[in-house]
C-alpha cells in the first residue's frame, strides 16, 4: 500500500523510526481499521513489541467512525434529547441548554430547502456523505 511512490516510502520510514526510537508511542485508529478485528491486531502487535502499553503516552486509542456514531453512542448527542438529559447538562455545566428539538439529516435538508433553517454549521465530517440515499 505504501510502496507506490517515493513520498509514501519516506513516510513509512519516518513512522518506523519514530516507533523504534520514541519512549512511548500511541496509535490512533479509525473505523476502517477498528471494524474488522484482524486489522486492529497488527498495530496492537507493533505497540506490544516495543512495550507501549501501560506507560504514559503509550497505548492505542480506537476512534469510532462517523461523527454521528461518535456523538450518539459516546456522549448522547441527539437531535431530540430527553428533558432529563438536558437537565443533567444544565446541572453539570451551569447553563440552560436549548429545549427545542433540532433536525436529523433529512429534516435538516427539508428545513434548508423550505427556508426554515437559516444557518448551517458543519463541524467536521461530510454532510453530503451522511445523507441517506433514499
Amino acid at each position: 500500500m505504501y510502496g507506490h511512490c517515493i513520498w509514501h516510502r519516506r513516510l513509512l520510514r519516518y513512522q518506523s523510526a519514530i516507533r523504534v526510537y520514541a519512549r512511548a508511542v500511541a496509535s490512533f485508529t479509525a473505523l476502517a481499521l477498528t471494524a474488522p478485528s484482524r486489522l486492529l491486531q497488527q498495530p496492537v502487535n507493533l505497540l506490544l513489541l516495543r512495550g507501549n502499553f501501560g506507560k504514559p503516552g503509550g497505548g492505542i486509542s480506537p476512534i469510532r467512525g462517523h461523527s454521528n456514531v461518535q456523538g450518539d453512542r459516546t456522549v448522547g448527542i441527539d437531535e431530540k434529547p430527553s428533558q432529563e438529559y438536558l437537565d443533567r447538562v444544565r446541572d453539570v455545566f451551569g447553563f440552560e441548554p436549548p429545549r427545542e428539538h433540532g433536525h436529523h439529516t433529512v429534516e435538516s435538508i427539508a428545513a434548508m430547502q423550505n427556508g426554515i433553517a437559516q444557518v448551517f454549521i458543519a463541524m467536521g465530517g461530510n454532510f453530503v456523505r451522511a445523507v441517506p440515499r433514499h
Side-chain angles (χ1 to χ4, degrees):
M1 177 172 153
Y2 280 109
H4 294 351
C5 74
I6 293 171
W7 168 249
H8 286 141
R9 283 187 289 233
R10 287 180 184 162
L11 181 60
L12 185 58
R13 281 191 208 116
Y14 178 70
Q15 289 174 342
S16 300
I18 288 173
R19 288 187 183 274
V20 169
Y21 296 109
R23 283 190 220 177
V25 174
S27 179
F28 295 86
T29 59
L31 181 65
L33 196 60
T34 59
S37 60
R38 297 194 104 194
L39 287 177
L40 185 58
Q41 185 177 3
Q42 301 313 315
V44 169
N45 286 342
L46 284 172
L47 292 167
L48 284 169
L49 282 171
R50 297 286 302 155
N52 280 297
F53 283 101
K55 66 168 69 168
I60 194 161
S61 179
I63 300 170
R64 296 176 38 217
H66 190 274
S67 57
N68 290 338
V69 173
Q70 187 71 33
D72 288 347
R73 303 298 181 252
T74 305
V75 296
I77 293 174
D78 191 347
E79 77 275 2
K80 295 180 173 87
S82 68
Q83 294 304 311
E84 295 81 18
Y85 179 80
L86 295 172
D87 290 343
R88 186 75 177 131
V89 168
R90 179 198 59 216
D91 296 343
V92 169
F93 296 106
F95 75 94
E96 187 61 45
R99 299 289 171 154
E100 310 83 38
H101 289 311
H103 304 296
H104 60 61
T105 304
V106 175
E107 291 170 345
S108 296
I109 294 168
M112 286 184 256
Q113 288 175 332
N114 297 329
I116 296 168
Q118 297 177 359
V119 175
F120 175 76
I121 300 172
M123 301 186 68
N126 185 335
F127 184 74
V128 173
R129 291 282 193 184
V131 177
R133 295 179 191 253
H134 53 280

